[in-house]
Amino acid sequence: MSTQHMPLWEVFIRPRTGLHHKHVGSIHASDAEMALQAARDVYTRREEGNSIWVVPSKDIIASDPDKAAENFDPAGDKVYRHPSFYDIPDEVGHM
Amino acid sequence: MYSQGLIGADTTTEETEEFLAAFQARIDREEKIEPNDPMPAAYRKTLIRQIGQHAHSEIVGMLPEGNWITRAPSLRRKLALLAKVQDEGGHGLYLYSAAETLGVSREQMTEELLCGKAKYSSIFNYPTPTWADIGAIGWLVDGAAIMNQVPLCRCSFGPYARAMVRICKEESFHQRQGYELMMALAKGTPEQKEMAQDALNRWWWPSLMMFGPSDSDSSHSDQSMKWKIKRFSNDELRQKFVDATVPQAELIGLTMPDPDLKWNAQKNNGQGGYDFGEIDWSEFWRVVKGGGPMNKDRISARQKAWDDGAWVREAALAHAEKRRTRAQAATLEAAE
């Protein structure tokens, strides 16, 4: 068996023009060109999109799940960032 | 799949009672567990085993049906079969990727399949001697698989659940094309109908075995249910499958090969269901342990594909390396 591992790529697909590319999964391939080809075969068999990005998995920098609380909890008590926090009389109508 | 940074990362956990209780509490709150989250070693191990087996089943499952692609009786059937077999390959890849987020490599999983350490669904160790087998596989084998897979869409491990959502969406055409094929044969000449009945006779019992041993004999069930990897027991899923499938056979005039099969109005808490005969578990274990009609063929076909593809994998990697060094040299030259 080959000792060298086939590199891993993350696959992002845009379902249609006007939307974001969205992560759909990953694929093994020797280079970017083969990764695009494999991503097309594996992830777009049913018109799932019109554009594909592939990114080497090793180049993705992820936030640390152990720090999820300190990273994301501070936003939890800031209800004043949402429109429903503010009392507006009904007579004003839609605002 | 689903962004990791996990391969090679330190995945050891200190499994104090507090740690295990906190993990179980997350599961009980229906929180999804993601690859980088702390998890008990046994949870990781169970998932690697289960997702790996599932992936291998998709890949090995391409073999019995692939056998008939060149001999499909019409272009319509051939297109459907090609698309279905291609889907199975895709499903295998989604699942391998999900398993890889747990820190196991694709190469390691492949090696374990080829050396016999990792199992795959024993249903694929039966042969496909006639065209009707393609119908029976789609209708019964994919039907049983769907029964198993739909609850897995709610599995506690995020990457596995997401892969299953995708698979289930694609899988329902597999069952429908199989049933349609059986229906066409059942409505055909007496020989065609006989061929359909013969395929049903051979695939019915192995399909029931696909749900695994009876709850009383299943070694992995309790903990998997507690961790919400499984949502229903083997026997519950098997009963659902029987209840769904028996009327489908009646509708196209085929008979289940089970003299003990009969409607029981008391079953399923009074909703009614079918009683069915005793499953021959000695056959199940014989096939799981390698004694099925096709075990050797399946693994040798996978071994051959792996060996024959070795030079392609090596050449692709060498080509990528060559292009990378050339591009680097060109950049350096341009900078000078």
Side-chain angles (χ1 to χ4, degrees), chain B residues 194-266:
Chain B
E194 198 187 311
M195 190 196 266
Q197 182 62 54
D198 167 66
L200 173 58
N201 293 349
R202 284 181 290 109
W203 289 94
W204 176 245
W205 289 106
S207 299
L208 295 189
M209 294 175 198
M210 279 177 73
F211 296 93
S214 230
D215 296 346
S216 49
D217 303 316
S218 178
S219 51
H220 301 295
S221 271
D222 286 352
Q223 187 60 62
S224 287
M225 298 274 273
K226 207 174 151 212
W227 277 333
K228 303 198 176 180
I229 296 171
K230 282 178 77 153
R231 298 275 176 167
F232 296 97
S233 76
N234 296 351
D235 286 335
E236 283 171 324
L237 290 169
R238 188 167 14 245
Q239 184 66 48
K240 276 176 192 246
F241 175 70
V242 171
D243 293 342
T245 312
V246 171
Q248 294 166 356
E250 282 170 3
L251 199 68
I252 55 174
L254 298 178
T255 314
M256 294 304 187
D258 179 0
D260 297 323
L261 187 77
K262 65 169 190 296
W263 181 253
N264 176 348
Q266 312 304 312

Side-chain angles (χ1 to χ4, degrees), chain A residues 3 11 28-29 39 48 51 62-63 86 91:
Chain A
T3 47
V11 180
H28 284 277
E48 283 89 344
S51 168
S63 64
Y86 299 93
E91 301 90 277

Side-chain angles (χ1 to χ4, degrees), chain B residues 132-170:
Chain B
D133 291 322
I134 300 307
I137 289 181
W139 172 34
L140 303 173
V141 176
D142 288 271
I146 290 169
M147 222 36 117
N148 252 324
Q149 289 174 345
V150 168
L152 286 173
C153 297
R154 294 189 294 128
C155 162
S156 60
F157 185 57
Y160 193 23
R162 292 192 287 273
M164 290 319 304
V165 169
R166 210 182 162 90
I167 289 174
C168 286
K169 268 190 205 158
E170 297 180 354

Side-chain angles (χ1 to χ4, degrees), chain B residues 1-304:
Chain B
M1 193 166 349
Y2 315 110
S3 227
Q4 23 247 294
L6 192 86
I7 292 174
D10 181 15
T11 57
T12 51
T13 44
E14 206 169 318
E15 304 199 357
T16 59
E17 263 175 52
E18 288 88 354
F19 171 78
L20 293 174
F23 181 77
Q24 189 61 48
R26 287 194 67 189
I27 300 272
D28 293 341
R29 287 196 300 272
E30 296 287 335
E31 280 180 35
K32 292 286 182 222
I33 308 301
E34 293 296 340
N36 287 348
D37 292 347
M39 63 183 89
Y43 178 81
R44 182 185 302 278
K45 198 176 149 202
T46 300
L47 279 165
I48 289 177
R49 183 183 55 82
Q50 181 173 335
I51 306 173
Q53 271 186 21
H54 198 161
H56 296 324
S57 302
E58 301 281 356
I59 299 296
V60 176
M62 296 167 82
L63 298 168
E65 292 184 292
N67 180 36
W68 278 93
I69 290 174
T70 55
R71 288 169 288 155
S74 70
L75 181 59
R76 185 175 182 274
R77 297 282 181 218
K78 188 174 192 159
L79 286 172
L81 187 55
L82 266 172
K84 177 181 192 293
V85 174
Q86 193 190 8
D87 272 355
E88 308 297 3
H91 296 174
L93 295 182
Y94 309 155
L95 289 163
Y96 281 131
S97 302
E100 284 172 79
T101 66
L102 291 159
V104 63
S105 75
R106 180 78 58 91
E107 286 81 359
Q108 193 183 334
M109 284 187 281
T110 307
E111 277 173 36
E112 288 184 0
L113 171 69
L114 296 179
C115 77
K117 193 178 161 211
K119 302 288 182 213
Y120 54 89
S121 182
S122 61
I123 193 86
F124 300 119
N125 291 318
Y126 291 88
T128 45
T130 75
W131 171 248
D133 291 322
I134 300 307
I137 289 181
W139 172 34
L140 303 173
V141 176
D142 288 271
I146 290 169
M147 222 36 117
N148 252 324
Q149 289 174 345
V150 168
L152 286 173
C153 297
R154 294 189 294 128
C155 162
S156 60
F157 185 57
Y160 193 23
R162 292 192 287 273
M164 290 319 304
V165 169
R166 210 182 162 90
I167 289 174
C168 286
K169 268 190 205 158
E170 297 180 354
E171 198 92 47
S172 77
F173 117 72
H174 298 181
Q175 191 186 17
R176 290 172 66 103
Q177 66 84 37
Y179 186 67
E180 192 205 72
L181 196 167
M182 285 300 257
M183 197 166 62
L185 290 174
K187 279 196 295 202
T189 63
E191 289 84 358
Q192 285 172 324
K193 184 169 184 184
E194 198 187 311
M195 190 196 266
Q197 182 62 54
D198 167 66
L200 173 58
N201 293 349
R202 284 181 290 109
W203 289 94
W204 176 245
W205 289 106
S207 299
L208 295 189
M209 294 175 198
M210 279 177 73
F211 296 93
S214 230
D215 296 346
S216 49
D217 303 316
S218 178
S219 51
H220 301 295
S221 271
D222 286 352
Q223 187 60 62
S224 287
M225 298 274 273
K226 207 174 151 212
W227 277 333
K228 303 198 176 180
I229 296 171
K230 282 178 77 153
R231 298 275 176 167
F232 296 97
S233 76
N234 296 351
D235 286 335
E236 283 171 324
L237 290 169
R238 188 167 14 245
Q239 184 66 48
K240 276 176 192 246
F241 175 70
V242 171
D243 293 342
T245 312
V246 171
Q248 294 166 356
E250 282 170 3
L251 199 68
I252 55 174
L254 298 178
T255 314
M256 294 304 187
D258 179 0
D260 297 323
L261 187 77
K262 65 169 190 296
W263 181 253
N264 176 348
Q266 312 304 312
K267 224 167 175 131
N268 299 331
N269 300 319
Q271 288 179 4
Y274 289 91
D275 286 330
F276 53 94
E278 191 68 32
I279 292 172
D280 180 1
W281 291 112
S282 64
E283 174 182 330
F284 172 77
W285 290 114
R286 186 166 51 76
V287 178
V288 168
K289 288 177 179 149
M294 300 299 281
N295 294 58
K296 284 206 182 81
D297 283 59
R298 300 300 183 225
I299 290 302
S300 65
R302 288 313 306 149
Q303 183 74 55
K304 183 175 184 304

Side-chain angles (χ1 to χ4, degrees), chain A residues 35-45 52:
Chain A
L36 271 179
Q37 185 66 47
R40 173 197 165 274
D41 290 346
V42 176
Y43 291 105
T44 64
R45 289 196 304 282
I52 303 175

